[in-house]
Amino acid sequence: GERLPRAKEPPGVPQGGAGVDRHDARPHHVFDQDVARRAARVERAITAALDGDDAERVPSAGQVARAVGMSERTLRRRLIDERITFRALLDQVRRARASELVADTRVSLTEVALAAGFADVSAFGHAWRRWFGAAPSATRSGRVSEPRRLRAS
C-alpha cells in the first residue's frame, strides 16, 4: 500500500523521534526525571506501608498504587518505564531497610525481620542469604567482612 507522509514532531522535539519516548513527546531527560520522581514516590509509599501498624505490612501493588493516586495497571506500566517491576522495587526497599537495621546491634534480628516486612526470622534469613550470600548473624558478627552485591535475578 501507499505510505502516508510522516507527521512532523511538535516544536521543540527532535525530528525523527531521536531522544523521545514513543509514549511521551517530551525529551528523554525530562521524561527520565519524571520517571525517577514517580519511582521515589512509590518507594516512599512502600516504606510508609512497612512502617504502618497494619498486620499485613508488606503492601500489594494495588495498595501502593492507591497510595500514589493511580491504578495498579498504571503503576506497573510506569515502573516498566523505569525498567523495574513492583516486586523488584519492593525487594530493594526491604533490602535497604534490613541492611540499615542489621548494622545496628541494638536491634534484634527478629525486630529487623518484622521491620522489613517478613513474617518471621526464617523468611528474613532466606532473603538475606539470597541478597548477600551469608546469614544476617554472620554479617552482623563480622564473620563476613562485607555482604556481596545483589545477584541479578
Side-chain angles (χ1 to χ4, degrees), residues 55-150:
E56 180 60 42
R57 292 171 50 155
V58 178
S60 69
Q63 290 169 318
V64 171
R66 284 188 296 280
V68 296
M70 63 182 74
S71 71
E72 181 177 345
R73 183 170 177 175
T74 298
L75 171 68
R76 290 186 187 278
R77 268 197 324 268
R78 299 276 167 83
L79 290 174
I80 286 170
D81 288 345
E82 174 117 355
R83 294 175 173 76
I84 193 166
T85 64
F86 176 77
R87 177 54 77 201
L89 187 57
L90 177 62
D91 207 41
Q92 283 180 11
V93 171
R94 293 171 88 186
R95 183 178 68 241
R97 167 161 295 180
S99 293
E100 182 180 309
L101 293 173
V102 162
D104 185 349
T105 57
R106 297 170 299 174
V107 181
S108 75
L109 291 179
T110 300
E111 291 170 312
V112 173
L114 295 175
F118 290 93
D120 55 45
V121 177
S122 176
F124 167 63
H126 289 294
W128 187 271
R129 281 186 284 284
R130 180 172 44 88
W131 295 331
F132 302 113
S137 57
T139 305
R140 177 176 267 184
S141 70
R143 290 180 297 199
V144 176
S145 58
E146 183 156 328
R148 73 173 183 226
R149 309 246 342 127
L150 178 67

